[in-house]
Amino acid sequence: MYSKISWGGDTDPFILTTLDKPKSPPDEDVFVSLVVFEYRDEDLIGVWPSPDTLEKEYICTQPNIEKKFCNSTQLGEFILSPNASDSKSQILSTKINLKEPEAPKYSVKKTGYYCVSSSAFSDGAQYKGTVEFRNAYGKLPAAEIAKLPFYAGITIAYAVIGIFWGFLYIQNRHDILPVQNYITAIIIFLIVEELMTWGFYDYKNSHGFNAGAKIFMTVDSILNAGRNSFSFFLLLIVCMGYGVVKPTLGKTMVYVRFLAVAHFVFGVIYAFASLSITPDNAGPLVLFVVLPLAGTLTAFYVWTLSSLNHTMKDLLERKQSVKAMMYKKLWWCILASIVVIFGFFFLNSFTFAERSSPDFVPRHWKTRWFILDGWLNLVYMVDIAYVAYLWRPTANNRRFAMSDEIAQDDEGFEIASFGGSVDEEDARSPTGEEMRNGGIATAPGGKGELIPVPPKPVGEGGADERGQRRSLEGETIFAVGEDGERWSEDEDESPRDSGEKQKLTGKNK
């Protein structure tokens, strides 16, 4: 329990023990011994009869009064150690008469793990009772009160993610990919689901675990199963390249949806079974609930990882480095999540190895909720936020998704820049005599070597007022001889023509 200073509230925290009055009141007094204490003061309850004994004496009986373990005014109560005044918190030891049962009230002044113990003092006494642990903030158990601000924060965080996503979605609404519509749907779903979880704990804190709280819990369990199925479905189609690598998945999408629906159904069955069946009553029938859910979960894991590897391999083979980098970041995100999950389980294994110890619950009751539930929600939220960041709406969504990156190889020809070719053409333009020879220029010295010369780049009216060149698309870059010339080794050639051809083609006889 928490003190009023720790969490605040309008009520002073207390522990109220109420014993039911028997239907047939006894003719004589029947007493029940009762003690309320903080767990760290357990050693102050009872006394050791001698250093060699293995069991304490806990109840003040007539023989224990004679042994000076207690006095006659404490008859029927729990025996307290002589140094009980040094306790961490108040220790309440009393006895209740079932003939007219009173309800002792213990005021909680300090935060701690409090215990209530009772024992029948009179022979043959049978009794039933109720212990109410009431904190200052409300009716929610102290071990769960931290969930109230936690899920409130998670809901606000998802709302912030939804605001940023919605802004980008509206800004680029004319260029949205199908996979981004699925991401939009799951963000809205997560806001609603976390809001319902927050509402459940707030309702339970105000009204207790009544029929309304049970309805809240049932709806929240169904939404939780839907969140898990929707998340696995989204991750699988993303890893398959839907929307970025493939415009459609064809019949595969039907199979993926069928697997998601099956996982949702088995998840709902598992949720209802966990609410209605206690661990003590669980038998072999539970396997029919757990195994189908484990099967669909395994199918999702295997299919998702294999699809991601296949997509990355396909993109790398087609040299789509930008898209491949997106999926490589997703791969690292999944790997990091797996490492964090297994690392957390590995560290917690040392903690849970001590759960058989009586000190386990008193030492971990404040943080047990985070170990079992809280940190997984944080990992999940980080993963969803990262996937939303990678696949966020942009101005060129469809252009990026439907286009392929031009492969760049290091081997092959080097192509000079267009600007460099323009400079070379401007540095040397053919003369009128060269143009009359069909664009063939003679080398200096008049030796008759053929040099390929591009046609004059700017004709009459070929430049605008700023002197910019027209596009060279469709023009001949190299002009060699007249149109009617044909080169064939079978035809008669003059020695000069033969020599010129050898220099142009690089063939030497």
Side-chain angles (χ1 to χ4, degrees), residues 433-473:
E433 182 179 357
E434 293 169 352
M435 295 302 296
R436 287 192 300 271
N437 293 331
I440 304 298
T442 58
K447 295 182 180 181
E449 298 179 356
L450 295 179
I451 301 176
V453 178
K456 188 174 181 179
V458 180
E460 186 176 348
D464 57 14
E465 296 177 356
R466 294 174 295 180
Q468 294 181 346
R469 294 173 50 86
R470 294 183 304 178
S471 173
L472 298 180
E473 183 179 357

Side-chain angles (χ1 to χ4, degrees), residues 173-239:
R173 59 187 178 276
H174 300 297
D175 206 37
I176 297 297
L177 298 174
V179 69
Q180 292 170 338
N181 290 326
Y182 282 107
I183 297 177
T184 304
I186 196 171
I187 291 176
I188 297 174
F189 183 89
L190 287 172
I191 295 174
V192 174
E193 192 260 344
E194 296 299 335
L195 185 62
M196 287 292 296
T197 304
W198 181 20
F200 163 68
Y201 286 107
D202 185 68
Y203 182 88
K204 186 178 178 182
N205 184 49
S206 300
H207 302 87
F209 194 62
N210 56 13
K214 293 179 180 179
I215 295 174
F216 245 117
M217 185 175 63
T218 302
V219 174
D220 188 62
S221 300
I222 295 174
L223 291 177
N224 185 263
R227 181 188 71 169
N228 295 335
S229 301
F230 201 170
S231 302
F232 284 123
F233 168 78
L234 176 63
L235 183 61
L236 180 55
I237 63 174
V238 165
C239 291

Side-chain angles (χ1 to χ4, degrees), residues 260-301:
V261 171
H263 188 75
F264 170 73
V265 172
F266 295 143
V268 171
I269 295 175
Y270 177 81
F272 279 106
S274 62
L275 294 176
S276 58
I277 300 176
T278 60
D280 297 333
N281 298 328
L285 188 63
V286 175
L287 294 176
F288 292 97
V289 177
V290 176
L291 289 180
L293 184 64
T296 54
L297 187 62
T298 303
F300 265 120
Y301 280 144

Side-chain angles (χ1 to χ4, degrees), residues 4-113:
K4 189 174 182 179
I5 300 176
S6 300
W7 280 92
D10 300 330
T11 306
D12 293 328
F14 62 86
I15 300 173
L16 182 64
T17 305
T18 305
L19 297 183
D20 299 337
K21 189 175 182 178
K23 295 181 180 180
S24 56
D27 297 333
E28 55 184 16
D29 295 335
V30 177
F31 291 99
V32 174
S33 304
L34 180 74
V35 65
V36 182
F37 61 96
E38 207 276 327
Y39 182 78
R40 291 175 295 178
D41 297 327
E42 183 185 15
D43 294 337
L44 301 178
I45 310 298
V47 294
W48 296 101
S50 65
D52 298 334
T53 56
L54 300 178
E55 294 184 0
K56 281 185 173 183
E57 290 289 340
Y58 288 102
I59 306 299
C60 182
T61 60
Q62 191 63 38
N64 288 333
I65 293 176
E66 296 175 357
K67 295 177 182 179
K68 306 297 183 182
F69 294 155
C70 56
N71 54 51
S72 58
T73 59
Q74 298 173 341
L75 182 65
E77 300 178 358
F78 275 83
I79 301 175
L80 301 182
S81 176
N83 60 339
S85 58
D86 299 332
S87 62
K88 305 293 183 182
S89 301
Q90 174 192 1
I91 300 177
L92 174 63
S93 178
T94 185
K95 59 184 178 181
I96 301 175
N97 190 349
L98 293 181
K99 195 172 183 178
E100 293 293 336
E102 297 179 353
K105 187 176 182 180
Y106 178 90
S107 298
V108 177
K109 302 296 182 182
K110 297 180 180 179
T111 300
Y113 189 81

